[in-house]
Amino acid sequence: MTTALSRQRSPARTEAGPFNAPLPVPALTIRRLLSRVRKPGRYSGGEWNSVRKDWSETALKWCFTYPDLYEIGMSNLGLRILYEVLNERPNCLAERCFAPDVDLQAELRSAKVPLWSLETRRSLHDFDVLGLSLGYELVATNVLDMLDLAGIGLTTGERSEADPLVIAGGSIVLNPEPFADLTDAVVLGEGEDVVLEISEVLQSLGWHRRVCGRDGQSRRGVDRATTLRALARIPGVYVPSLYEPRYEADGTFAALDRLDEAAPPSVAGRIAADFETRVRGIRQIVPNIGIVFDRAQLEVMRGCTRGCRFCQAGMQSRPLRERAPEVAVAAAEAILRATGYEEVGLTSLSTADYTFVQEVASALHRRNPEVVISLPSTRVDAFTVELVDAIAPGGRRSGFTFAPEAGSQRLRDTINKGVSDEEIVRCAELAFSRGWSAVKLYFMIGLPGETAEDVLAIAGICRRVLEIGRRRHGGRAQVKANVSTFVPKPNTPFQWDGQDATDEIETKVSQLRKAFHGKGLVLSWHDPRSSLLEAALGRGDRRLTPVIVRAWRNGARLDAWDEHFKFDAWIQAFDEEGLDPAWYAQRDIPTGEHLPWEHLGAGVSGDFLLRDRRLALAGRTTADCHWGPCSNCGAPAVTGFDCDTGDQGPRRMLISGGGGTVGDEGGTGPSSRRWRYLGPPGDARRSDVAAAASIGAAAYCAGDNVNLDRAPRRGRSHDMLGTQMQSKDAGTNGLASPVEAAGGENSG
Amino acid sequence: MSEAVQRWRIVFARNEEARYLAHLDAVTQWERAFRRGAIPVATTGGFNARPKLVFAAPLQLGMLAEHELADLFLAERLTAPALRERLTAGMPAGYRVIDLHDVWIGAPALAPQLVAADYRMTLLGVEREDLASAATRILSAERLPRERRRETKTVAYDLRPLIIELRVRDADAGTLAADGAPAEAAELWMRLRHSQERGSGRADEVVAALADELGMTTASETPGATETPSATETPGVDRPRIESAVSVRERLWLEEELTQHGERDQAPSSPEQTAG
Ligand code: SF4
């Protein structure tokens, strides 16, 4: 099927029956409003591969509600995937809506026009389900804005039967408690399968609107309460209103009581079946205006085995699953064809760790010499530099990004980012020698166990790197250090550790600034006050929902954007509720204390988190289980996935999916799949294994010891990692986090 | 670099769905459309190779169009039906190919041949009679001094010689059937000079000049244009607003075409007489 055809395909008739589709917002009204705002292309839709279905012929209407600006939301791969998954179903439709910028917000309010969906320009209120994407704590007030602009009840208690269900998902919902009263249901883990299960339940109950009887009015066939109880029975779906928290006299969390027998005592996150062999999200929407990640995206791997102890995405996305190389190459090419993009990002939490990264990148490069390939990597090693060098276009090169995260090796061992100073220096030397004249280094301050020396060590390592750059590039050499504040995240070994007080962070930053003078050294840092809020909301409980509502009423919105961030509005809101953000963010929580999110899990087990924390305190690292040994993180028990890792050998990886599997309903039978022990790329032990293995991608690849074609390349140069991405949480996939963004991404 | 062997002049229209593309975004989208349609586009040489595609005149964000021109250079020959099919397969929503002309590859560049452009705007908040009398006054003026903001600098220029013709008609009732729109409306048609050598007139500038003439202000539908202050605007004074609900570039004129039509530099007729 060609893309052009699929965009116009009309859904099969369903049992939806006669239905008075609500009217769209009139075109002239929209034109007049958009004539007064910046970047009207954010709100006008009509993009290539966007899908507009007939409302009278489609039963269940979803609208993906992304609580950040278009440029951020459209970069999210999770959205691109779920949009396709739902729109492929004849009895569902999915549209999109992003947070309006302040200018349009004001225009909508004064003209009393509801916030509309991009596809058919109907009010969000007219949909059956809003799929709310929560990727970052500071989008909280944008959620309220969007609901309010569509006239939807802000909290679950205020919603009428006519209001849509608000179902949240995304990387921060492992602790959805601060948002509990805003969300009717929460999907934990990966959404591909669950959204379809939810749709089926909603349709069989009759949640969608239909014309009833004599009066000709359309209404829902079932009430909200019944619907929510039914949703609570779907694995991976958490319905907050079926539980009620209790607190101790000292304000700490005591327990969560179940209010209904439909509510399970605990909910575990889902992982998508068939990730390795089946690719969804091929017909990705191509925006008409520039966005943060304006390129085709193929997720080559899900999960991460590095085990960085501060990283929520890494911990909750296990087990590691990788796409067979032939599947990855075919899918990347299919996405490029369907979109016309000139660039493809091979995404994951750390793509240099993808077993077949060389094979896939070199095959794509050879077969599509005009296409730019980019990839994120959290590895700080020579392999990453060689890899990026091989796929990057020659000539101009913007900064090469590494994320050592901490200044001293001692502290890097504590956070399980086991890389030595020498390795960092060697990496930088290699990058400088391959033509990069600037190196960007990402660090965190305020990490557990950090001393004053650790902070100053950041400046020390940057100076060493700059000296090396000078030798090769003279005065042109540059080292840019980006320093963010450590934020303790639920479901990580550091979830119990308090964040540094804001003034401590400020002192550390000013010490660093003193140590960072001189030509070629650039230091940038984040507002520690937004990190404080991020930590408070991240580790919060249900008492924070009223705080969010108050902050919004006090004028807080688009808090992730420096120019809009109103810290005072938040402090006032905490005050008015008699709460203290520092108590939530900066307190060291005793490990015996109950946690507001302990009934929810994904990825690793709670037991592993405790064990790993003890190792951190002892300054010991945990091995990367890509090669074994397994550290018994508990992911198989939580997710039902079998890791198959030997005591010393590598994990067994799918090396051939059997062909014909891209976005194809049928997929391949398990019988045609082939598995091998292979291990991660760039490891000395790999060559023996790889030589022994005849990789399924042979048809695409020159050989197992890949020598990437270094023919001169043409193409535009791209600065992959704008600083906006760091603080604005431009999640690249369903499990993105600002930490992942800090890992950086490299290309030409 | 791939050598061009064929040059196609694409005549195209742009409707509502693509109206908010700025010129550079439109170029990017067209390049992606060529890749989607597997069109063998020739590329420019040099390190940053780009597809050889030349638009006659950038189309402002917010402006619809009925007869735009672009030259596309191919590295392999295609027949007109084949090219049309491949363009249609990949074109972003809102763009429509009207015609394709196989142009001699050595023909002069497109942009310098432009002499004029026709525009049609539906204006809200202004009576037809008022607009017509303002148009007559402007046409009979010797000079029409205005200012144009270029980045930080403000450049003074004379708008009058850039206006070839103005006509005022009744607005099309169909556009106005929406709630909240002001009842007074009129349609303004204009032919403006569009020349690389002798300067080009901007449609929104003409509307701003008319608004000034009537003691009104403009709320242009193109946000970029609202940044151009009208010459006599006094900050803080809340003057009645002319809003443009639809603005269309009807046609770009090449020198030879306009000469054939015998309308070149025709003396402007009275706007009321030619109305309707
Ligand atoms: S169970 Fe073992 S092999 Fe599987 S992800 Fe956890 S540590 Fe790694």
Side-chain angles (χ1 to χ4, degrees), chain A residues 276-322:
Chain A
E276 288 136 314
T277 50
R278 185 161 163 216
V279 181
R280 285 170 285 195
I282 299 291
R283 289 183 296 272
Q284 299 180 2
I285 296 173
V286 184
N288 284 333
I289 62 170
I291 59 170
V292 178
F293 293 133
D294 205 357
R295 51 179 173 258
Q297 291 180 34
L298 173 73
E299 207 181 355
V300 289
M301 175 169 86
R302 244 180 225 181
C304 179
T305 52
R306 299 230 135 217
C308 300
R309 290 174 176 139
F310 52 83
C311 178
Q312 191 180 33
M315 291 289 166
Q316 71 186 30
S317 62
R318 286 191 193 185
L320 185 75
R321 287 145 293 150
E322 305 188 82

Short mmCIF file of all heavy atoms in Angstrom, two decimals, chain A residues 276-322:
data_model
loop_
_atom_site.label_atom_id
_atom_site.label_comp_id
_atom_site.label_asym_id
_atom_site.label_seq_id
_atom_site.Cartn_x
_atom_site.Cartn_y
_atom_site.Cartn_z
N GLU A 276 11.16 -7.45 19.05
CA GLU A 276 12.35 -7.81 18.28
C GLU A 276 12.08 -8.03 16.80
O GLU A 276 12.94 -7.80 15.97
CB GLU A 276 12.98 -9.08 18.86
CG GLU A 276 13.66 -8.82 20.19
CD GLU A 276 13.37 -9.88 21.21
OE1 GLU A 276 12.17 -10.24 21.35
OE2 GLU A 276 14.30 -10.34 21.88
N THR A 277 10.88 -8.48 16.50
CA THR A 277 10.64 -8.87 15.11
C THR A 277 9.64 -7.98 14.40
O THR A 277 9.50 -8.06 13.19
CB THR A 277 10.10 -10.30 15.05
OG1 THR A 277 9.02 -10.40 15.97
CG2 THR A 277 11.19 -11.29 15.42
N ARG A 278 8.94 -7.17 15.15
CA ARG A 278 7.89 -6.40 14.51
C ARG A 278 8.08 -4.92 14.79
O ARG A 278 8.27 -4.52 15.93
CB ARG A 278 6.55 -6.87 15.07
CG ARG A 278 5.42 -6.21 14.38
CD ARG A 278 4.15 -6.98 14.59
NE ARG A 278 3.07 -6.09 14.25
CZ ARG A 278 1.93 -6.08 14.87
NH1 ARG A 278 1.69 -6.90 15.85
NH2 ARG A 278 1.00 -5.24 14.49
N VAL A 279 8.02 -4.12 13.74
CA VAL A 279 8.25 -2.69 13.89
C VAL A 279 6.95 -1.94 13.65
O VAL A 279 6.32 -2.13 12.62
CB VAL A 279 9.33 -2.18 12.92
CG1 VAL A 279 9.56 -0.69 13.12
CG2 VAL A 279 10.62 -2.96 13.11
N ARG A 280 6.57 -1.11 14.60
CA ARG A 280 5.39 -0.27 14.40
C ARG A 280 5.82 1.18 14.39
O ARG A 280 6.85 1.53 14.94
CB ARG A 280 4.37 -0.57 15.48
CG ARG A 280 3.70 -1.91 15.17
CD ARG A 280 2.85 -2.44 16.28
NE ARG A 280 3.65 -2.98 17.36
CZ ARG A 280 3.14 -3.76 18.31
NH1 ARG A 280 1.87 -4.08 18.29
NH2 ARG A 280 3.91 -4.20 19.28
N GLY A 281 5.04 2.00 13.74
CA GLY A 281 5.42 3.41 13.60
C GLY A 281 6.26 3.61 12.35
O GLY A 281 7.33 4.21 12.39
N ILE A 282 5.80 3.08 11.22
CA ILE A 282 6.53 3.22 9.95
C ILE A 282 6.13 4.53 9.26
O ILE A 282 6.96 5.30 8.83
CB ILE A 282 6.20 2.04 9.00
CG1 ILE A 282 6.62 0.72 9.63
CG2 ILE A 282 6.89 2.25 7.65
CD1 ILE A 282 8.10 0.51 9.76
N ARG A 283 4.83 4.77 9.18
CA ARG A 283 4.37 5.99 8.48
C ARG A 283 4.39 7.16 9.45
O ARG A 283 3.35 7.65 9.90
CB ARG A 283 2.97 5.75 7.92
CG ARG A 283 2.99 4.78 6.73
CD ARG A 283 1.62 4.62 6.14
NE ARG A 283 0.70 4.00 7.09
CZ ARG A 283 0.53 2.70 7.23
NH1 ARG A 283 1.23 1.87 6.48
NH2 ARG A 283 -0.30 2.22 8.12
N GLN A 284 5.57 7.59 9.79
CA GLN A 284 5.73 8.66 10.78
C GLN A 284 5.32 10.00 10.18
O GLN A 284 5.61 10.29 9.02
CB GLN A 284 7.18 8.69 11.27
CG GLN A 284 7.58 7.37 11.92
CD GLN A 284 9.01 7.35 12.42
OE1 GLN A 284 9.74 8.33 12.34
NE2 GLN A 284 9.42 6.20 12.96
N ILE A 285 4.65 10.78 11.00
CA ILE A 285 4.19 12.08 10.52
C ILE A 285 5.39 12.99 10.25
O ILE A 285 6.33 13.03 11.04
CB ILE A 285 3.26 12.72 11.58
CG1 ILE A 285 2.01 11.86 11.74
CG2 ILE A 285 2.89 14.15 11.18
CD1 ILE A 285 1.11 12.30 12.85
N VAL A 286 5.35 13.68 9.12
CA VAL A 286 6.43 14.60 8.76
C VAL A 286 5.93 16.03 8.99
O VAL A 286 5.11 16.52 8.23
CB VAL A 286 6.84 14.42 7.29
CG1 VAL A 286 8.03 15.31 6.96
CG2 VAL A 286 7.16 12.96 7.00
N PRO A 287 6.40 16.69 10.04
CA PRO A 287 5.86 18.02 10.37
C PRO A 287 6.18 19.04 9.28
O PRO A 287 7.18 18.92 8.58
CB PRO A 287 6.58 18.39 11.66
CG PRO A 287 7.13 17.12 12.19
CD PRO A 287 7.40 16.25 11.01
N ASN A 288 5.30 20.04 9.18
CA ASN A 288 5.51 21.11 8.20
C ASN A 288 6.46 22.18 8.71
O ASN A 288 6.94 23.00 7.94
CB ASN A 288 4.17 21.77 7.86
CG ASN A 288 3.36 20.90 6.92
OD1 ASN A 288 3.92 20.12 6.15
ND2 ASN A 288 2.06 21.02 6.99
N ILE A 289 6.68 22.19 10.02
CA ILE A 289 7.64 23.16 10.57
C ILE A 289 8.74 22.37 11.27
O ILE A 289 8.56 21.20 11.61
CB ILE A 289 6.96 24.13 11.57
CG1 ILE A 289 6.39 23.38 12.77
CG2 ILE A 289 5.87 24.93 10.89
CD1 ILE A 289 5.93 24.29 13.89
N GLY A 290 9.88 22.99 11.47
CA GLY A 290 11.01 22.30 12.10
C GLY A 290 10.67 21.90 13.53
O GLY A 290 10.02 22.64 14.25
N ILE A 291 11.09 20.69 13.93
CA ILE A 291 10.88 20.26 15.31
C ILE A 291 12.23 19.85 15.89
O ILE A 291 13.25 19.89 15.19
CB ILE A 291 9.87 19.08 15.40
CG1 ILE A 291 10.36 17.87 14.58
CG2 ILE A 291 8.50 19.53 14.94
CD1 ILE A 291 9.54 16.62 14.82
N VAL A 292 12.26 19.44 17.15
CA VAL A 292 13.55 19.16 17.80
C VAL A 292 14.25 17.97 17.14
O VAL A 292 15.42 18.05 16.79
CB VAL A 292 13.35 18.91 19.31
CG1 VAL A 292 14.69 18.58 19.95
CG2 VAL A 292 12.77 20.14 19.96
N PHE A 293 13.53 16.86 16.97
CA PHE A 293 14.12 15.71 16.26
C PHE A 293 13.41 15.59 14.92
O PHE A 293 12.49 14.80 14.77
CB PHE A 293 13.95 14.42 17.05
CG PHE A 293 14.74 14.39 18.32
CD1 PHE A 293 14.16 13.98 19.50
CD2 PHE A 293 16.07 14.77 18.35
CE1 PHE A 293 14.88 13.96 20.68
CE2 PHE A 293 16.80 14.76 19.52
CZ PHE A 293 16.20 14.36 20.69
N ASP A 294 13.87 16.38 13.95
CA ASP A 294 13.19 16.40 12.66
C ASP A 294 13.82 15.36 11.75
O ASP A 294 14.59 15.68 10.85
CB ASP A 294 13.31 17.81 12.05
CG ASP A 294 12.18 18.10 11.08
OD1 ASP A 294 11.36 17.19 10.85
OD2 ASP A 294 12.10 19.22 10.56
N ARG A 295 13.54 14.11 12.03
CA ARG A 295 14.13 13.04 11.25
C ARG A 295 13.32 11.76 11.47
O ARG A 295 12.53 11.67 12.41
CB ARG A 295 15.58 12.81 11.67
CG ARG A 295 15.74 12.63 13.17
CD ARG A 295 17.21 12.38 13.51
NE ARG A 295 17.46 12.36 14.93
CZ ARG A 295 17.99 13.37 15.62
NH1 ARG A 295 18.32 14.48 15.02
NH2 ARG A 295 18.20 13.26 16.91
N ALA A 296 13.56 10.80 10.58
CA ALA A 296 12.96 9.48 10.78
C ALA A 296 13.58 8.86 12.02
O ALA A 296 14.74 9.11 12.33
CB ALA A 296 13.22 8.62 9.56
N GLN A 297 12.81 8.08 12.74
CA GLN A 297 13.37 7.44 13.93
C GLN A 297 13.05 5.97 13.90
O GLN A 297 11.91 5.58 13.74
CB GLN A 297 12.77 8.04 15.20
CG GLN A 297 13.19 9.47 15.45
CD GLN A 297 12.56 10.01 16.72
OE1 GLN A 297 12.35 9.28 17.69
NE2 GLN A 297 12.22 11.28 16.72
N LEU A 298 14.10 5.17 14.10
CA LEU A 298 13.88 3.74 14.27
C LEU A 298 14.48 3.33 15.59
O LEU A 298 15.67 3.52 15.85
CB LEU A 298 14.53 2.93 13.14
CG LEU A 298 14.43 1.43 13.45
CD1 LEU A 298 13.01 0.94 13.27
CD2 LEU A 298 15.39 0.63 12.64
N GLU A 299 13.65 2.72 16.41
CA GLU A 299 14.13 2.24 17.70
C GLU A 299 14.78 0.88 17.46
O GLU A 299 14.11 -0.06 17.04
CB GLU A 299 12.89 2.09 18.59
CG GLU A 299 13.12 2.22 20.04
CD GLU A 299 11.82 2.01 20.80
OE1 GLU A 299 10.75 1.85 20.17
OE2 GLU A 299 11.88 2.02 22.03
N VAL A 300 16.08 0.78 17.69
CA VAL A 300 16.75 -0.49 17.42
C VAL A 300 16.80 -1.38 18.64
O VAL A 300 17.03 -2.58 18.54
CB VAL A 300 18.19 -0.26 16.89
CG1 VAL A 300 18.16 0.29 15.48
CG2 VAL A 300 18.98 0.64 17.82
N MET A 301 16.57 -0.78 19.80
CA MET A 301 16.74 -1.56 21.03
C MET A 301 15.87 -0.94 22.10
O MET A 301 15.67 0.27 22.13
CB MET A 301 18.22 -1.49 21.43
CG MET A 301 18.61 -2.12 22.73
SD MET A 301 20.42 -2.23 22.86
CE MET A 301 20.82 -0.63 23.54
N ARG A 302 15.33 -1.77 22.97
CA ARG A 302 14.61 -1.25 24.14
C ARG A 302 15.26 -1.82 25.38
O ARG A 302 15.69 -2.95 25.40
CB ARG A 302 13.15 -1.66 24.09
CG ARG A 302 12.25 -0.47 23.98
CD ARG A 302 10.81 -0.86 23.92
NE ARG A 302 10.19 -0.09 22.86
CZ ARG A 302 8.91 -0.16 22.55
NH1 ARG A 302 8.11 -0.99 23.18
NH2 ARG A 302 8.43 0.58 21.58
N GLY A 303 15.30 -1.01 26.41
CA GLY A 303 15.95 -1.45 27.64
C GLY A 303 17.40 -1.08 27.61
O GLY A 303 17.94 -0.66 26.59
N CYS A 304 18.05 -1.23 28.75
CA CYS A 304 19.45 -0.87 28.85
C CYS A 304 20.02 -1.69 29.99
O CYS A 304 19.37 -1.88 31.01
CB CYS A 304 19.60 0.62 29.16
SG CYS A 304 21.31 1.16 29.33
N THR A 305 21.22 -2.20 29.79
CA THR A 305 21.80 -3.06 30.81
C THR A 305 22.98 -2.40 31.51
O THR A 305 23.63 -3.01 32.32
CB THR A 305 22.29 -4.37 30.18
OG1 THR A 305 23.13 -4.04 29.07
CG2 THR A 305 21.13 -5.20 29.71
N ARG A 306 23.26 -1.14 31.17
CA ARG A 306 24.42 -0.47 31.77
C ARG A 306 24.24 -0.31 33.27
O ARG A 306 25.19 -0.39 34.02
CB ARG A 306 24.59 0.91 31.15
CG ARG A 306 24.84 0.87 29.68
CD ARG A 306 26.04 1.69 29.31
NE ARG A 306 26.83 0.91 28.38
CZ ARG A 306 28.15 0.91 28.36
NH1 ARG A 306 28.83 1.64 29.20
NH2 ARG A 306 28.80 0.17 27.49
N GLY A 307 23.03 -0.03 33.70
CA GLY A 307 22.75 0.04 35.14
C GLY A 307 23.23 1.30 35.82
O GLY A 307 23.62 1.26 37.00
N CYS A 308 23.24 2.44 35.13
CA CYS A 308 23.56 3.70 35.79
C CYS A 308 22.52 3.93 36.89
O CYS A 308 21.32 3.84 36.63
CB CYS A 308 23.52 4.86 34.79
SG CYS A 308 24.70 4.64 33.45
N ARG A 309 23.01 4.22 38.09
CA ARG A 309 22.10 4.13 39.24
C ARG A 309 21.15 5.31 39.40
O ARG A 309 20.22 5.26 40.21
CB ARG A 309 22.93 3.94 40.52
CG ARG A 309 23.56 2.57 40.56
CD ARG A 309 24.50 2.36 41.72
NE ARG A 309 24.95 0.97 41.70
CZ ARG A 309 26.19 0.59 41.94
NH1 ARG A 309 27.11 1.47 42.24
NH2 ARG A 309 26.51 -0.69 41.89
N PHE A 310 21.39 6.37 38.64
CA PHE A 310 20.49 7.52 38.72
C PHE A 310 19.41 7.45 37.65
O PHE A 310 18.51 8.26 37.61
CB PHE A 310 21.29 8.82 38.50
CG PHE A 310 22.14 8.77 37.25
CD1 PHE A 310 21.58 9.06 36.02
CD2 PHE A 310 23.46 8.35 37.30
CE1 PHE A 310 22.33 8.96 34.86
CE2 PHE A 310 24.22 8.26 36.14
CZ PHE A 310 23.65 8.57 34.92
N CYS A 311 19.51 6.47 36.74
CA CYS A 311 18.73 6.53 35.50
C CYS A 311 17.43 5.75 35.61
O CYS A 311 17.41 4.53 35.66
CB CYS A 311 19.56 6.01 34.33
SG CYS A 311 18.64 6.01 32.79
N GLN A 312 16.34 6.50 35.62
CA GLN A 312 15.02 5.90 35.73
C GLN A 312 14.68 5.11 34.47
O GLN A 312 14.20 3.99 34.54
CB GLN A 312 14.01 7.02 35.95
CG GLN A 312 12.64 6.55 36.36
CD GLN A 312 11.69 7.73 36.55
OE1 GLN A 312 11.78 8.73 35.87
NE2 GLN A 312 10.78 7.59 37.49
N ALA A 313 14.96 5.71 33.32
CA ALA A 313 14.62 5.04 32.06
C ALA A 313 15.33 3.70 31.96
O ALA A 313 14.73 2.69 31.58
CB ALA A 313 15.00 5.94 30.89
N GLY A 314 16.61 3.67 32.32
CA GLY A 314 17.38 2.44 32.21
C GLY A 314 16.83 1.34 33.11
O GLY A 314 16.72 0.19 32.71
N MET A 315 16.47 1.73 34.35
CA MET A 315 16.02 0.73 35.31
C MET A 315 14.64 0.19 34.95
O MET A 315 14.36 -0.99 35.11
CB MET A 315 15.98 1.34 36.72
CG MET A 315 17.34 1.67 37.28
SD MET A 315 18.25 0.17 37.71
CE MET A 315 19.92 0.84 37.91
N GLN A 316 13.76 1.07 34.48
CA GLN A 316 12.38 0.62 34.31
C GLN A 316 12.09 0.04 32.94
O GLN A 316 11.01 -0.45 32.70
CB GLN A 316 11.40 1.74 34.65
CG GLN A 316 11.37 2.88 33.64
CD GLN A 316 10.47 4.02 34.13
OE1 GLN A 316 10.33 4.24 35.32
NE2 GLN A 316 9.87 4.73 33.20
N SER A 317 13.07 0.09 32.02
CA SER A 317 12.78 -0.40 30.67
C SER A 317 13.36 -1.78 30.43
O SER A 317 13.29 -2.29 29.32
CB SER A 317 13.33 0.58 29.65
OG SER A 317 14.73 0.66 29.81
N ARG A 318 13.97 -2.38 31.46
CA ARG A 318 14.47 -3.73 31.26
C ARG A 318 13.31 -4.69 31.08
O ARG A 318 12.21 -4.40 31.53
CB ARG A 318 15.32 -4.15 32.47
CG ARG A 318 16.66 -3.46 32.46
CD ARG A 318 17.55 -4.10 33.49
NE ARG A 318 18.73 -3.27 33.69
CZ ARG A 318 19.74 -3.61 34.47
NH1 ARG A 318 19.70 -4.78 35.12
NH2 ARG A 318 20.77 -2.83 34.61
N PRO A 319 13.47 -5.82 30.46
CA PRO A 319 14.72 -6.39 29.97
C PRO A 319 15.15 -5.78 28.63
O PRO A 319 14.35 -5.14 27.95
CB PRO A 319 14.35 -7.86 29.77
CG PRO A 319 12.91 -7.80 29.44
CD PRO A 319 12.34 -6.70 30.29
N LEU A 320 16.41 -6.05 28.30
CA LEU A 320 16.96 -5.57 27.05
C LEU A 320 16.38 -6.40 25.90
O LEU A 320 16.38 -7.62 25.93
CB LEU A 320 18.47 -5.73 27.08
CG LEU A 320 19.22 -5.16 25.88
CD1 LEU A 320 19.27 -3.66 25.98
CD2 LEU A 320 20.63 -5.71 25.82
N ARG A 321 15.88 -5.68 24.90
CA ARG A 321 15.42 -6.37 23.68
C ARG A 321 15.99 -5.67 22.47
O ARG A 321 15.98 -4.44 22.42
CB ARG A 321 13.88 -6.36 23.63
CG ARG A 321 13.24 -7.32 24.62
CD ARG A 321 11.95 -6.76 25.14
NE ARG A 321 12.16 -5.57 25.95
CZ ARG A 321 11.28 -4.59 26.04
NH1 ARG A 321 10.16 -4.64 25.39
NH2 ARG A 321 11.53 -3.54 26.82
N GLU A 322 16.48 -6.43 21.53
CA GLU A 322 17.13 -5.82 20.37
C GLU A 322 16.46 -6.30 19.10
O GLU A 322 15.98 -7.43 19.03
CB GLU A 322 18.60 -6.22 20.33
CG GLU A 322 19.34 -5.87 21.60
CD GLU A 322 20.83 -6.10 21.48
OE1 GLU A 322 21.49 -5.20 20.95
OE2 GLU A 322 21.31 -7.16 21.88
#
